Each structure stands twice: as structure tokens, then as C-alpha cells.
Amino acid sequence: MSKIISTLSKMWLKVVNLENSLFPELQESLRIKEFSTKEAKLIRVLDFAEIEKFITITSQTNIPKYREQIARAFIAKSVYNFQTTRDLLNRLHVDRTLRILCGWRYANEIPSESTFSRAFDEMSRLQIAQKSHERFVEEYLSEKTFFYNATDATKIPLREKPVKIDKEKPKPKKKGRPKKGEAREAKKPTILEQQIEMQSVEEKLSLISTKCGVGIKQNSKGNREVWIGGKLHISVVDGDVPVTAFYSGANVHDSSVALPLMQETSKRVNYLYDLQDAGYDADIIREYSSKLGHRPIIDINPKNSKELKAKIELLKHERETFAYINQHLNCDEQHYNQRSMVERVNKLLKDDFGCNIIYYHGATKVASVLAFGILSICIDQSLKLVT
């Protein structure tokens, strides 16, 4: 308990220092009476992100200029909900306060759009935003115990062509029983079955495609949705705080990223329950969650049971549907309802933190855009726990 209090106190003391020391100094130097809501949020996120620590110089003879300022500007792009780099640059040229917060005193110091693009390519390859997010969680949240870890994936439509997948044509099966001494052809193991034998998160993720693909899913109204692009798989803990996020192609099934998500989240924070919808209904996922010391609460997918399908059709307008198909979990309905926090983070990411439309091409850059949004949301939501 003392560890939790000291961790929260550390964050709270830094917030107090910002409000009482840094804010008045900045207001005086900028000659403004009060910061706007967006400006105050940006100052807090920039101060806690400390993204400058992860900017590296790769060449001693040709030092990249303004890399720290550009990294801060991309956080501002997320906080101010700008969809494009051009929107960000236009605002930087006319908004003196935003420009100075990012690190430029005069408008003529701001680099060109092509320089921003090259810098973003470097930061994407170095995973600057992902490293900053991981450091924040480790420093401020790792010693706190959370009740819930809710996992889900959200669609990320992109403006690029899907990569064609060359599927091997299955060999025609021989009719009848195999000959004496002839073994039946072994069934290819699923991604989950392969992952359970692997130790590290990196190994598990090596099986996950990040290429642009075609995604198909059924929405909450029962309608079929098709999109071209990718998916963002997120683990969210109490307070709507995203702790872990992995990017994949749109054609990757949600359950294929469940094990690396749970493993990485368990390394970063302590929590009690794993909350997942019917897309994660698999014994391997339940057993892995229990192995990590958590209690899995996963909705049951009735697609393979005619009896459940018929019963759900009768009860689809009634409240006891969940209790019926989850009879062994009917006492956990209140716990399961907390899974909505991951839906709120998905909405925040797209509506308020600049990830509604992504114009970048390539998995590395797309993942970086999403990582800047996740970093900003994580810090913003964490601060609400202590203020």
C-alpha cells in the first residue's frame, strides 16, 4: 500500500510543481494571463512524456536539426487533434504559444513539411513514442495494482492497397482410410497453438502480420463491416489508461494478439481480472491468463452450438442472455461490464487525439501515429487519477 501511495504522490507532486511553478513562469515569459485548456493539457503531457530522452543523434558530422522540437510538435498534433502534418504546421506558424511550447521562438525557424516527414520516418523506425509510453508506465504506474485489464481491437482504415496474400492450394484429400503404415497428414497448428510454446513477447508477435489487409467484422448492430488497413490491439486498465498497444494488419484475428498483450501488460503493471469479449473465446487464452495469475472473464461465442444460438435468439431482447450463456460466470456480470473502458479509449483515440484519419503509408509509420495518440491518452488519463 505504501508503494502505491508513493507512486501516486510522485505523480501528484509533479503536477503540483507544474501548476505552482512552471505555469506562472511560462505565463510571465509568454505575457499571457492564462493558458487555454488545450495548452495546459499539452504542457502536462510534454512534461511527463520527456520524449527528448529518446531522441538519438545517429551521425556526429551531420547532426539532425530540431529533432527534439519536432518530437514535441508531434505530441502537440495528437493533443490538438490535428489529422495532418500540414494542419500542425499551419497552426504553428500563427500560434505563438504553441510554437514556443514546442521549442521554436520565431515562425521562420519552423522546418519545412519535408523535414517533418523525414524526422517522423526516423522517429517511427526508432519507436520514440512507444519507448516514451513504456517509460511513463514503468515510472508512474508499475507499482500500482489495478482491478481490470480490458482487451480489444479497433479498426484502422488506411488509404493504401491491401497486400495480396498467396494462399497455398490445399492438396486434395484421398478418399477412404489411409493405407497400412501411412500416417494421416498433420493439421497445421493455429497461431494461438504456436504462441503457447513461445517464451517472449517478440517471438509471439513475429507470427502477426502488420501488412495492410482487408478486415471483416460484425458490428454491435449485427451488420457486416469491411475495411482496408489495419487494427490496433489495446490493453486498458482502470481509469481508461492504455498500458499496451500493438498494431497488426486488418486480416489478423483479435485473439491472435491476446497472449502477447496479456504477457506484456503483466510485465508493466499489476492487475487482477482479464476482461475480453467473445472474439477471445478460447481455452488457450483462459489458461494463459490463469497462468499469469489473473482471473479471465471472457464472453462465450455461441457460433459452434445450435442450442446456444436458439436460446440467444429467444432471449436477445432480455437481460438474462449473458447469464445464460455464461452460467459459470453469471456472478461476474458487473465485472464484465467494466470492459467498456477499452471502448472509451478507442473513441478518445479517434475523436480527440488525431487518429480518425491516417494518411501515412506503411505499418511502421501508422503504428507511430497511433503510438503518439496512445502516449498522450495514457498520460492525460493517468493525471485524472491523482488530480
Side-chain angles (χ1 to χ4, degrees), residues 149 151 235-237 243-244 260-271 294:
N149 167 39
T151 301
S235 280
V236 177
V237 296
V243 172
T244 312
L261 267 177
M262 288 190 294
Q263 184 176 349
E264 184 63 27
T265 305
S266 298
K267 282 165 51 180
R268 295 186 182 186
V269 297
N270 305 308
Y271 67 91
H294 313 305

Side-chain angles (χ1 to χ4, degrees), residues 103-265:
W104 292 288
R105 183 162 184 168
Y106 303 108
N108 59 10
E109 295 176 340
I110 300 172
S112 65
E113 189 172 355
S114 59
T115 303
F116 264 76
S117 181
R118 286 193 299 271
F120 186 75
D121 183 47
E122 292 173 13
M123 288 186 282
S124 300
R125 284 186 282 105
L126 294 170
Q127 297 188 331
I128 297 297
Q130 290 92 325
K131 291 175 181 176
S132 181
H133 176 219
E134 186 176 351
R135 183 209 62 82
F136 174 82
V137 172
E138 181 181 0
E139 185 168 350
Y140 295 103
L141 303 177
S142 60
E143 294 181 354
K144 190 181 189 308
T145 299
F146 296 92
F147 267 99
Y148 306 109
N149 167 39
T151 301
D152 201 4
T154 184
K155 62 179 184 179
I156 306 295
L158 301 176
R159 298 189 172 191
E160 57 179 300
K161 291 182 180 179
V163 177
K164 290 184 179 179
I165 301 173
D166 296 326
K167 292 185 177 180
E168 295 182 6
K169 291 184 179 180
K171 295 178 182 179
K173 293 182 179 180
K174 293 181 181 179
K175 293 181 179 180
R177 296 172 62 186
K179 293 179 182 179
K180 189 176 180 180
E182 183 182 359
R184 291 186 184 273
E185 188 177 347
K187 187 180 177 182
K188 186 179 178 181
T190 64
I191 290 179
L192 276 175
E193 289 168 343
Q194 294 177 64
Q195 287 176 335
I196 202 65
E197 302 296 330
M198 298 175 174
Q199 298 297 321
S200 69
V201 173
E202 290 73 22
E203 283 182 292
K204 292 180 175 69
L205 289 176
S206 66
L207 301 177
I208 307 302
S209 171
T210 56
K211 295 177 181 178
C212 180
V214 179
I216 302 172
K217 70 179 292 186
Q218 190 173 353
N219 62 21
S220 58
K221 296 181 180 178
N223 299 322
R224 189 171 174 232
E225 290 183 352
V226 180
W227 78 97
I228 295 173
K231 282 182 179 180
L232 184 66
H233 306 261
I234 313 176
S235 280
V236 177
V237 296
D238 310 344
D240 302 353
V241 179
V243 172
T244 312
F246 295 132
Y247 177 76
S248 78
N251 54 328
V252 173
H253 195 273
D254 295 1
S255 63
S256 299
V257 194
L259 301 194
L261 267 177
M262 288 190 294
Q263 184 176 349
E264 184 63 27
T265 305

Side-chain angles (χ1 to χ4, degrees), residues 40-146:
K41 182 187 291 188
L42 176 61
I43 292 170
R44 295 187 189 99
V45 172
L46 287 172
D47 198 64
F48 277 92
E50 297 181 313
I51 202 163
E52 301 85 359
K53 291 182 177 179
F54 301 97
I55 302 296
T56 57
I57 297 173
T58 56
S59 171
Q60 295 296 327
T61 56
N62 185 22
I63 299 175
K65 199 173 183 182
Y66 295 133
R67 285 301 183 262
E68 293 184 4
Q69 292 90 331
I70 292 174
R72 292 169 69 88
F74 276 111
I75 291 180
K77 177 176 177 284
S78 175
V79 173
Y80 276 69
N81 197 22
F82 296 139
Q83 300 299 314
T84 66
T85 305
R86 172 50 51 192
D87 293 336
L88 170 65
L89 287 169
N90 289 340
R91 183 63 176 267
L92 283 169
H93 279 94
V94 299
D95 191 330
R96 175 173 167 266
T97 302
L98 176 61
R99 186 167 64 242
I100 292 175
L101 290 177
C102 291
W104 292 288
R105 183 162 184 168
Y106 303 108
N108 59 10
E109 295 176 340
I110 300 172
S112 65
E113 189 172 355
S114 59
T115 303
F116 264 76
S117 181
R118 286 193 299 271
F120 186 75
D121 183 47
E122 292 173 13
M123 288 186 282
S124 300
R125 284 186 282 105
L126 294 170
Q127 297 188 331
I128 297 297
Q130 290 92 325
K131 291 175 181 176
S132 181
H133 176 219
E134 186 176 351
R135 183 209 62 82
F136 174 82
V137 172
E138 181 181 0
E139 185 168 350
Y140 295 103
L141 303 177
S142 60
E143 294 181 354
K144 190 181 189 308
T145 299
F146 296 92

